[in-house]
Amino acid sequence: MNAAPEFEPAANDTVLAARHIVKTYGGTHALKGVNFDIHRGKVTTLFGENGAGKSTLMKILSGVTTPTSGSIELDGQAVSFSSASDARDRGISIIHQELSLAPNLSVRDNIFMGRELRGATGVDFAEEARQTRLLMADLEEDIHPLTLVQDLRLGQQQIVEIARALSVDSRILIMDEPTSALSATEVEVLFRVIRDLTARGVSIVYISHHLEEALQITDYAVVLRDGAITATASARHINLEWIVRNMVGENFDLGSPPTGHAFGEVALSIEDVSVADASSSERSVVDRLSLDVRSGEIVCIYGLMGAGRTELLECIAGRLQPSGGRILLGGNDISRLSIAERIARGLVLVPEDRQRDGLVQTMSVGANLSLASIGSFVRGMLLSRSQERTLVEASIRDVHVKTAGGSAPIGSLSGGNQQKVVIGKMLITNPKVMLLDEPSRGIDIGAKAEVFRLLSERAARGLAVVFSTSEVAECLSIAHRIIVMHRGRISAEFGADATKEEIMAASGEAVVSDHEEHRSHQSDRR
Amino acid sequence: MTDASPDRSRSRPRVSADGFSLAKLLLEGRAFFALIVIIIVFSLLSPYYFSVGNFLTMASHVAIFGILAVGMLLVILNGGIDLSVGSTLGFSGVIAGFLMQGVQLTTFGVILYPPVWVVAVLVCVLGALVGLVNGVLIAWLKVPAFVATLGMLYVVRGAALLMTNGLTYNDLGGKPELGNTGFEWLGFNRLLDIPIGVLVMAVIAIIGSIILNRTAFGRWLYASGGNERAAELSGVPVKQVQVSVYMLSGICAAVAGLILSSELTSAGPTAGTSYELTAIAAVVIGGAALTGGRGNIRGTLVGAFVIGFLSDGLVIIGVSAYWQTVFTGAVIVLAVLLNAIQYRRRVKLPSPAGGSPTSPQKDKATTADPALEKTAG
């Protein structure tokens, strides 16, 4: 950010316009014909829930992926980016949601990675270090250019990521969740830098789950839901309530808590469970958390990214070792059992990332479905193919998987049907407690409703269900009880009659820091 | 639906449902077609090539590599690699030779001459032990498979050299009065005119096939090789599976070592040097993915025959040994190239039945791309 980027004022204030962008992954439509404008010298904020397509849209605008169809106009000229470096050469850079730094390299080397400054003898390290120091001073962060990135805490790494994007003189800077690991002070510094940039004519696209925080910096708000733009407005005319309403939508029904059955005994009991952070042993991602779930009950765990939901569920399922506390299944301590033993005793997990943890892509639909219950169709030494087929076919009917048959490759299914396979695989084992980590991630609304209906049917038959979500609307669907997690602890507990605002406030979503809490109440009242 | 990976190749044309395509057929069955081409070409070039006698001779050469390759396939299906099999093969031969000379028990003042079947069992146990060390290093101590088995390659070879002081055991025949004759049976005898080594390979291949397709262990192996995290969360004992495949690979190497030393009626400590690479080549030519989860016994055997029939053919028509090496290398590279094309096609061709397939390659590509690009940004 050494020289102000060149830019000619034009009559039209739209610097980049995306038209009718469609992006499909397999059978899933991530974007369904999106029109998106970036305003010159303004902050355009993109709001939307997880899986709404925000990151996909930003990856397209920054050249990381190409759209299935649709066009992009830069300064009125149709363009297509062949790669992220192509887009960067045209002045578009992006700060990704997931950090993309090389932890084994220094801050300086990360900032200039791939575009090292040439000197008389190879790389001009002194000049790189000087520019790094300037960038760090600008971001008010006291980091030495030669510090290794792995020695920085997460928030500082995010600062380096931001500095790297700033070091390229971009006309358009896309920030995908830049503040998820930043402290309130660091966020303020970032916002000051953003204002400096916009004053110099740089256009910003901003994405954040911290709605209230994002609202402070927004000039134009765009709301994306299920791959389509649902609302656009200038920031002057909107408030938190407007955003939430457009994000969540009002006219779809994900079901209601199943009634008419009595809860049974406590099926799962968690007592003071802690999980240590993998990167630093002092911090706990789950902090002395206790929770009881009865059979037939559906409990929803709501929380932002990094609240510790995934770690909690993985710890219960046996993937992570607890650093303290006990886990009881039907009154028996299972803390020391393996994953397989927990499955045998009736505790199963449907993981968050079904590509990475849920499915074996090299196997068929049927082999995936039967994977957790192979023991039930072994006769003598050998697998009984006919029994397996019966089992698989029953499961396909039971969880309504739309597939050509058990022998179809798993990759031929849409995201929602793949998710049903992961759920079906676990249901075949006849669990007593089912944990689901973001079961609706990346699946469309119809499949979502089906998954939830399936869960409530099973709950009515006595299954204890614990599912996590980062979408408020899902908390208010089939859950009998809503647990809000914030920084590894339960910050609030609600019944099925909670409101969206209550839940979001408890998760820390609508509130950044204490002095802003005041303002958020005001805007709520407005 | 019942078998995992082997079924894929068969179910694919139906899923794609775009009719008969010669190019695709050639690609799917490329190893088999390559074998046919090799047989035709060499039959035209040499009058001695196309005869039952020659095929059986070549098959007995193939047997050693075929047996090693079956073990290697199990390891590769798991996403690993076993570089120690060549050394294990040599070590097994040396141990067999050592046992055939008689084991002197000084404390009792006797010399034990174990019968041949005891020798064979002990050698197989030894192979399993080498595999166990590999497996424990890899599964529990988290040493990368490449490094662990590379280390064992040296350790085991060194042990074989130490055993004999670099020399070769030449007298493996045994003596009738000691009751330990019959060692040459494995390498020289024929049953129904088929060399015993070939029969042993066939039996191992059938057992391997049954293990892969019809047992829980086989399913666990395909699952943990295809996606270890998903397999573990589904209750698959991934570590035990991992250790087992290295032990099975070690046993296969030991069996191959027995056959080789029986064929040669001598056991040298340097036998089997670089055989692990030939075994890997056979598995790769047979269409298995080095990333794990994809491959089958049938393909691997065809791969072993391609290599064996090619190099023997080159010998028969009198091509120099140096050129043989070049040709073998070219075939391996070509096979891997075609593997890459096949797996890419899975991604690119949308299948009309039920949306376009999202294969793991595609997912890897889409998630890896940003990482690559981001490092540049």
Side-chain angles (χ1 to χ4, degrees):
Chain A
M1 205 182 40
N2 307 299
E6 276 118 10
F7 109 99
E8 306 101 333
N12 186 352
D13 91 320
T14 301
V15 56
L16 183 143
R19 291 287 169 262
H20 312 295
I21 300 288
V22 174
K23 179 73 186 175
T24 55
Y25 290 106
T28 1
H29 289 262
L31 294 173
K32 306 167 183 164
V34 167
N35 293 319
F36 182 70
D37 289 347
I38 299 177
H39 302 272
R40 179 166 286 130
K42 301 286 182 204
V43 179
T44 310
T45 305
L46 193 55
F47 294 100
E49 297 187 313
N50 279 352
K54 303 184 301 271
S55 294
T56 308
L57 181 57
M58 290 309 111
K59 280 179 182 165
I60 288 170
L61 296 186
S62 59
V64 173
T65 49
T66 48
T68 311
S69 67
S71 61
I72 300 170
E73 283 173 23
L74 190 61
D75 298 320
Q77 306 275 313
V79 288
S80 68
F81 305 123
S82 58
S83 66
S85 49
D86 183 22
R88 194 183 58 202
D89 292 342
R90 293 171 198 249
I92 302 174
S93 53
I94 181 163
I95 300 171
H96 285 281
Q97 191 173 350
E98 315 89 30
L99 294 175
S100 58
L101 302 168
N104 55 331
L105 297 182
S106 69
V107 171
R108 176 197 71 192
D109 293 347
N110 266 287
I111 288 179
F112 289 94
M113 194 191 297
R115 40 178 206 89
E116 288 77 8
L117 302 179
R118 300 268 166 217
T121 53
V123 179
D124 188 350
F125 287 118
E127 173 61 17
E128 284 190 4
R130 192 187 65 82
Q131 292 194 20
T132 304
R133 271 192 293 273
L134 286 178
L135 284 166
M136 288 303 148
D138 207 29
L139 288 164
E140 298 179 23
E141 199 72 26
D142 185 23
I143 303 173
H144 191 273
L146 293 184
T147 316
L148 293 187
V149 163
Q150 65 198 13
D151 296 335
L152 299 176
R153 61 181 174 76
L154 200 60
Q156 289 176 314
Q157 293 185 9
Q158 209 157 32
I159 295 279
V160 174
E161 184 89 40
I162 292 166
R164 182 161 76 181
L166 296 179
S167 72
V168 189
D169 294 328
S170 325
R171 298 191 302 156
I172 299 173
L173 181 56
I174 299 170
M175 299 182 165
D176 193 352
E177 294 271 359
T179 61
S180 57
L182 298 189
S183 70
T185 350
E186 285 167 330
V187 170
E188 275 175 37
V189 174
L190 177 67
F191 282 6
R192 181 187 55 69
V193 172
I194 290 178
R195 288 195 192 95
D196 287 353
L197 286 171
T198 51
R200 281 190 269 155
V202 177
S203 316
I204 308 277
V205 180
Y206 191 84
I207 296 179
S208 177
H209 270 295
H210 299 268
L211 308 178
E212 184 69 16
E213 176 192 291
L215 206 47
Q216 294 173 42
I217 195 82
T218 301
D219 293 313
Y220 292 94
V222 177
V223 185
L224 200 58
R225 187 171 76 221
D226 289 324
I229 302 261
T230 52
T232 331
S234 163
R236 275 171 310 215
H237 309 302
I238 61 167
N239 57 17
L240 191 68
E241 193 264 323
W242 179 90
I243 298 170
V244 172
R245 193 179 65 228
N246 284 294
M247 260 171 65
V248 175
E250 287 158 314
N251 38 12
F252 64 77
D253 186 15
L254 282 175
S256 52
T259 50
H261 67 283
F263 295 158
E265 300 282 296
V266 172
L268 174 72
S269 177
I270 305 158
E271 296 176 358
D272 286 323
V273 163
S274 299
V275 179
D277 191 342
S279 53
S280 75
S281 50
E282 301 103 73
R283 226 171 69 82
S284 290
V285 277
V286 176
D287 190 8
R288 281 160 291 157
L289 191 141
S290 298
L291 178 67
D292 282 350
V293 184
R294 295 177 167 278
S295 62
E297 188 182 21
I298 303 178
V299 175
C300 166
I301 302 181
Y302 179 81
L304 293 181
M305 216 191 278
R309 293 169 303 169
T310 298
E311 288 81 0
L312 174 67
L313 294 180
E314 290 196 342
C315 173
I316 300 172
R319 157 72 66 75
L320 292 177
Q321 283 303 309
S323 55
R326 292 202 307 162
I327 301 162
L328 304 173
L329 184 70
N332 302 313
D333 193 344
I334 57 162
S335 312
R336 305 212 170 279
L337 300 185
S338 70
I339 297 176
E341 288 165 326
R342 293 183 204 208
I343 293 174
R345 279 169 174 73
L347 173 76
V348 297
L349 168 69
V350 174
E352 179 183 19
D353 188 334
R354 66 179 165 270
Q355 305 296 345
R356 199 188 58 186
D357 298 333
L359 297 170
V360 182
Q361 292 286 357
T362 49
M363 303 204 311
S364 64
V365 171
N368 268 291
L369 272 170
S370 64
L371 184 58
S373 41
I374 292 175
S376 70
F377 54 91
V378 172
R379 291 297 167 265
M381 291 279 286
L382 301 181
L383 303 179
S384 161
R385 295 188 183 198
S386 58
Q387 288 189 15
E388 184 185 15
R389 201 172 303 126
T390 315
L391 196 70
V392 164
E393 278 165 9
S395 177
I396 288 176
R397 274 196 306 276
D398 192 26
V399 298
H400 310 291
V401 181
K402 287 187 198 71
T403 171
S407 60
I410 192 73
S412 67
L413 302 188
S414 69
N417 280 302
Q418 290 188 358
Q419 183 70 310
K420 285 187 230 161
V421 169
V422 182
I423 295 174
K425 168 175 75 177
M426 288 314 186
L427 284 177
I428 295 179
T429 66
N430 264 325
K432 298 187 184 73
V433 178
M434 186 169 220
L435 313 169
L436 303 98
D437 197 0
E438 298 242 19
S440 63
R441 202 173 103 150
I443 65 179
D444 61 39
I445 189 78
K448 218 180 262 192
E450 267 190 84
V451 165
F452 280 176
R453 196 175 58 236
L454 195 68
L455 293 177
S456 32
E457 282 168 16
R458 292 294 173 141
R461 284 189 257 155
L463 179 70
V465 176
V466 180
F467 74 94
S468 79
T469 179
S470 44
E471 299 185 25
V472 182
E474 291 182 6
C475 300
L476 301 172
S477 56
I478 57 167
H480 297 111
R481 192 147 59 97
I482 299 153
I483 305 287
V484 182
M485 266 186 90
H486 183 53
R487 299 191 183 192
R489 316 194 73 157
I490 294 179
S491 64
E493 190 170 331
F494 301 99
D497 54 350
T499 66
K500 288 168 191 168
E501 286 74 16
E502 278 175 348
I503 296 169
M504 286 170 114
S507 73
E509 185 155 15
V511 184
V512 185
S513 58
D514 294 339
H515 70 273
E516 279 152 8
E517 194 165 30
H518 187 61
R519 208 165 350 142
S520 97
H521 285 304
Q522 282 180 332
S523 68
D524 282 350
R525 245 173 273 138
R526 213 176 330 140
Chain B
M1 150 222 78
T2 29
D3 23 2
S5 260
D7 215 45
R8 243 189 116 90
S9 52
R10 268 178 280 138
S11 68
R12 226 189 113 64
R14 185 161 46 79
V15 173
S16 294
D18 50 5
F20 178 78
S21 149
L22 186 67
K24 189 194 285 168
L25 190 69
L26 286 172
L27 191 63
E28 299 279 342
R30 59 185 174 278
F32 189 65
F33 287 111
L35 185 60
I36 291 174
V37 167
I38 286 169
I39 291 173
I40 291 174
V41 168
F42 284 112
S43 300
L44 293 174
L45 289 174
S46 163
Y48 307 111
Y49 194 83
F50 198 87
S51 72
V52 174
N54 183 47
F55 282 153
L56 288 175
T57 312
M58 292 196 297
S60 68
H61 297 161
V62 169
I64 306 286
F65 296 119
I67 292 168
L68 285 181
V70 168
M72 186 66 74
L73 171 70
L74 302 181
V75 174
I76 286 179
L77 280 177
N78 192 246
I81 195 98
D82 188 351
L83 299 179
S84 67
V85 292
S87 298
T88 309
L89 184 153
F91 191 39
S92 306
V94 167
I95 293 292
F98 169 76
L99 293 172
M100 294 301 294
Q101 311 300 312
V103 185
Q104 201 160 4
L105 296 176
T106 34
T107 41
F108 300 104
V110 292
I111 301 178
L112 287 180
Y113 290 96
V116 169
W117 69 269
V118 174
V119 172
V121 169
L122 286 176
V123 166
C124 289
V125 169
L126 179 89
L129 280 176
V130 173
L132 179 67
V133 174
N134 279 329
V136 168
L137 283 172
I138 293 159
W140 269 284
L141 303 176
K142 300 286 170 208
V143 181
F146 191 96
V147 180
T149 59
L150 181 67
M152 288 302 282
L153 179 155
Y154 284 107
V155 170
V156 173
R157 182 67 71 195
L161 288 163
L162 281 172
M163 283 283 301
T164 66
N165 229 340
L167 302 175
T168 299
Y169 289 114
N170 284 316
D171 180 22
L172 301 179
K175 293 188 179 65
E177 64 268 28
L178 299 171
N180 65 347
T181 51
F183 190 74
E184 70 285 351
W185 180 81
L186 272 174
F188 279 107
N189 254 33
R190 292 184 172 219
L191 215 62
L192 304 172
D193 217 29
I194 299 169
I196 297 295
V198 177
L199 292 175
V200 171
M201 175 180 70
V203 168
I204 286 181
I206 290 167
I207 293 173
S209 223
I210 291 172
I211 287 178
L212 285 183
N213 296 320
R214 299 298 303 272
T215 65
F217 177 80
R219 195 61 69 79
W220 289 343
L221 175 52
Y222 274 113
S224 54
N227 186 345
E228 186 178 341
R229 297 170 65 100
E232 189 186 10
L233 274 183
S234 303
V236 173
V238 286
K239 283 191 168 31
Q240 284 88 325
V241 170
Q242 204 167 21
V243 173
S244 306
V245 292
Y246 287 97
M247 290 177 71
L248 290 171
S249 173
I251 292 173
C252 284
V255 171
L258 286 172
I259 294 174
L260 185 67
S261 50
S262 168
E263 277 179 1
L264 302 173
T265 53
S266 72
T270 56
T273 305
S274 88
Y275 279 23
E276 61 277 349
L277 302 180
T278 314
I280 294 169
V283 174
V284 169
I285 292 173
L290 284 176
T291 44
R294 281 207 179 102
N296 56 48
I297 298 272
R298 191 184 47 206
T300 297
L301 280 190
V302 172
F305 273 98
V306 165
I307 294 181
F309 278 26
L310 175 69
S311 54
D312 280 6
L314 292 168
V315 171
I316 287 173
I317 62 167
V319 172
S320 88
Y322 306 140
W323 275 110
Q324 290 173 34
T325 317
V326 173
F327 277 121
T328 311
V331 167
I332 294 166
V333 171
L334 195 67
V336 180
L337 205 68
L338 291 173
N339 275 1
I341 292 172
Q342 183 183 11
Y343 293 140
R344 201 161 52 233
R345 279 167 57 98
R346 290 213 170 124
V347 177
K348 281 195 178 153
L349 294 180
S351 75
S356 57
T358 322
S359 87
Q361 275 73 26
K362 174 176 180 172
D363 291 316
K364 266 179 209 150
T366 46
T367 48
D369 257 353
L372 276 174
E373 299 298 349
K374 277 183 285 180
T375 50

